[in-house]
Amino acid sequence: MAELLTLLIGGLVGGLLLLLLLIWASCRLWKRLCATLSYEELLETSAQATPAAAASQQGDRLRQPHARTHASRSPGMPFMVPPSLEGRDWMPLDSREWLQAPRKPCPALEPLPTPCSRPLGEAHGLGALSPELYKLPEDKSESDFPSGCRGRLWFSLEYEQEAERLLVGLIKARQLRAPSETCRPLVKLHLLPDERRFVQSKTRCKSANPQFDEHFVFQVSSKNITQRVLRFSVYHVDRQRKHQLLGQVLFPLKNETLAGGCPRTIWRDLEAEGLEPPSELGDLQFCLSYNDSLGRLTVVVLRARGLQLQEDQGVVSVFVKVSLMNHNKFVKCKKTSAVLGSTNPVFNETFSFQASAAEMDTASLSLTVLQSVRGAESCPLGRVVVGPYMYTRGRELGHWDEMLRQPKELVRRWHALCRPFQA
């Protein structure tokens, strides 16, 4: 009985061991089957993605045990190609490893020549900096002086709109022509038409190229600022402290000059024409130019000096009427803007007239300076007529002839005013 019980227990233990062995074998087979199915699915998916994977199903397999690029991927995970690996050819291996298929080696690109490798004088490469493009234009204001120049003056202007103040900076002067070897320059500033009030700089000793660096303030309203003219008079102070005028600069204040709200540096040459004493009725300065191809006569009325105003009639203003005449008949008239009562008004206005080349032998220009009074008619202060030999002589004829000899160029001259009935 005991032997039978022993046999029965041994059979049960053996059957249990055999059952466990069968279960273990079944699990191993199932795992292999799942691995095989997932491997075939990857082959099918990869074959649709890349042609190289489809070729690997026909037997062209590479084995390389140390190449492990996708070993961390689980077999059940669906096949996905990362964006960074798109375009690469991957071939499957038996150990569920993937190896990148070899491609034809790309030819090495030759390095582009750097700008430093180019010899001097050749063009720069793309993206290189050219030093010539960043050079500032050379300032020739202190080197190019015309013949007969009496000197050059530098100054700055700024107008404060809210405070209604004109800030003038006197910077420097160069190449002053003094009557003696030792030049002692002094500059007086007037804001015309006010002749009585002025400011002046300090006297610089023994220097024909003085450096002033001084600043002055003029109180002037924004309504009248455009009608004012800034005058710089440069003097030489001798040992007896007498002032000898070297030259002057007249600068009309216009809107474009004062625009911007920041200081503007300007330079002008000293004018020697203002040193001549004015005539009896005063003088008028203007420019003439004729363009024969366009048939256009241009007149630039600059300024007048030494006018004999009738100040007993109250507040007065001065303007210039420019008339084109042909055979002593008026063709067209134009007027400048009126300048409040000043004996030395500055206009700086340009006018154009149409006149053919055939009409230049019979045409003439009449420029009349008039004084207007409130509530009264304008009265003429003087007149200048320029034209051909038929109408004029002397300086007026020479101005007209020089204009015709130099077409398209502005010819500037001073002319003495004569009485209107003597024209």
Side-chain angles (χ1 to χ4, degrees):
M1 190 69 182
E3 294 179 355
L4 182 61
L5 184 58
T6 302
L7 291 174
L8 181 60
I9 293 173
L12 291 175
V13 171
L16 183 60
L17 292 175
L18 181 61
L19 180 61
L20 293 174
L21 181 62
L22 290 176
I23 293 173
W24 177 81
S26 300
C27 291
R28 294 287 297 178
L29 290 176
W30 177 254
K31 288 182 179 181
R32 275 191 175 275
L33 181 60
C34 290
T36 304
L37 292 178
S38 62
Y39 186 70
E40 290 178 356
E41 182 180 357
L42 289 174
L43 284 177
E44 183 179 357
T45 306
S46 61
Q48 296 176 0
T50 58
S56 63
Q57 295 179 358
Q58 300 178 2
D60 297 338
R61 296 184 177 180
L62 299 176
R63 183 179 297 274
Q64 195 171 11
H66 300 288
R68 303 184 62 86
T69 57
H70 288 271
S72 61
R73 181 182 56 83
S74 61
M77 183 181 295
F79 181 78
M80 296 180 63
V81 179
S84 60
L85 301 179
E86 290 183 359
R88 297 187 180 183
D89 298 334
W90 297 88
M91 300 185 67
L93 300 177
D94 294 339
S95 60
R96 294 189 295 235
E97 295 180 353
W98 291 76
L99 179 68
Q100 186 176 2
R103 291 187 178 184
K104 295 181 180 180
C106 297
L109 297 177
E110 297 181 0
L112 294 175
T114 59
C116 299
S117 63
R118 293 179 178 270
L120 294 176
E122 294 187 2
H124 294 272
L126 183 62
L129 297 178
S130 178
E132 290 78 8
L133 299 178
Y134 300 92
K135 289 183 179 180
L136 295 176
E138 184 180 357
D139 185 13
K140 298 182 179 181
S141 60
E142 297 191 19
S143 57
D144 294 345
F145 289 88
S147 59
C149 179
R150 303 186 65 89
R152 185 168 292 175
L153 187 69
W154 281 260
F155 56 94
S156 63
L157 294 178
E158 181 183 4
Y159 184 70
E160 296 180 350
Q161 190 76 22
E162 297 180 357
E164 294 186 340
R165 298 193 308 171
L166 177 65
L167 308 181
V168 182
L170 184 61
I171 302 176
K172 61 185 177 181
R174 294 293 182 267
Q175 301 293 331
L176 296 179
R177 296 175 58 184
S180 61
E181 295 182 359
T182 58
C183 180
R184 301 182 63 202
L186 168 71
V187 181
K188 291 184 180 181
L189 289 79
H190 290 81
L191 190 60
L192 303 178
D194 191 355
E195 295 276 358
R196 296 172 297 178
R197 300 179 182 178
F198 66 91
V199 293
Q200 68 180 27
S201 68
K202 298 179 181 179
T203 304
R204 297 297 186 267
C205 297
K206 299 180 181 181
S207 176
N209 302 296
Q211 191 78 23
F212 295 100
D213 294 329
E214 299 185 39
H215 297 83
F216 307 94
V217 179
F218 292 93
Q219 198 72 32
V220 56
S221 64
S222 57
K223 296 181 180 180
N224 299 329
I225 185 65
T226 56
Q227 298 180 357
R228 298 299 187 95
V229 178
L230 192 61
R231 183 175 68 186
F232 299 87
S233 301
V234 183
Y235 293 90
H236 164 65
V237 183
D238 58 13
R239 295 181 179 179
Q240 289 77 25
R241 296 189 179 275
K242 293 183 180 180
H243 293 180
Q244 301 180 14
L245 184 61
L246 302 180
Q248 64 180 2
V249 173
L250 292 175
F251 190 82
L253 300 176
K254 301 294 184 181
N255 292 329
E256 58 272 11
T257 305
L258 304 175
C262 58
R264 178 185 175 187
T265 303
I266 306 167
W267 62 266
R268 290 290 186 273
D269 289 337
L270 300 181
E271 298 182 0
E273 294 175 342
L275 304 178
E276 302 175 1
S279 59
E280 180 184 359
L281 300 179
D283 300 309
L284 182 65
Q285 186 187 41
F286 55 91
C287 300
L288 295 179
S289 175
Y290 182 68
N291 191 328
D292 51 357
S293 59
L294 300 178
R296 183 172 60 195
L297 177 62
T298 303
V299 183
V300 183
V301 182
L302 297 176
R303 58 181 177 268
R305 65 180 180 183
L307 299 180
Q308 302 299 321
L309 301 180
Q310 301 178 7
E311 299 180 356
D312 56 343
Q313 299 184 8
V315 180
V316 297
S317 59
V318 180
F319 65 94
V320 179
K321 182 175 70 173
V322 185
S323 304
L324 176 64
M325 305 176 63
N326 194 352
H327 290 290
N328 291 329
K329 294 181 180 180
F330 288 96
V331 178
K332 196 169 186 180
C333 297
K334 297 183 179 181
K335 299 179 182 180
T336 66
S337 302
V339 178
L340 293 179
S342 172
T343 57
N344 301 297
V346 179
F347 302 100
N348 276 354
E349 296 192 29
T350 304
F351 306 99
S352 297
F353 301 92
Q354 290 296 325
S356 62
E359 296 174 347
M360 296 304 293
D361 293 334
T362 58
S364 63
L365 281 173
S366 174
L367 294 90
T368 306
V369 182
L370 298 103
Q371 172 184 341
S372 61
V373 185
R374 292 182 181 178
E377 296 181 359
S378 301
C379 60
L381 301 178
R383 182 186 181 192
V384 177
V385 177
V386 291
Y389 186 79
M390 183 184 300
Y391 308 105
T392 60
R393 299 290 188 275
R395 192 176 183 86
E396 289 73 20
L397 176 61
H399 195 179
W400 186 269
D401 291 341
E402 188 175 357
M403 174 195 69
L404 297 179
R405 290 195 304 267
Q406 302 178 6
K408 303 179 183 179
E409 292 187 9
L410 289 174
V411 182
R412 183 174 59 179
R413 290 288 182 272
W414 278 101
H415 294 276
L417 297 176
C418 61
R419 299 188 184 280
F421 59 86
Q422 295 178 355

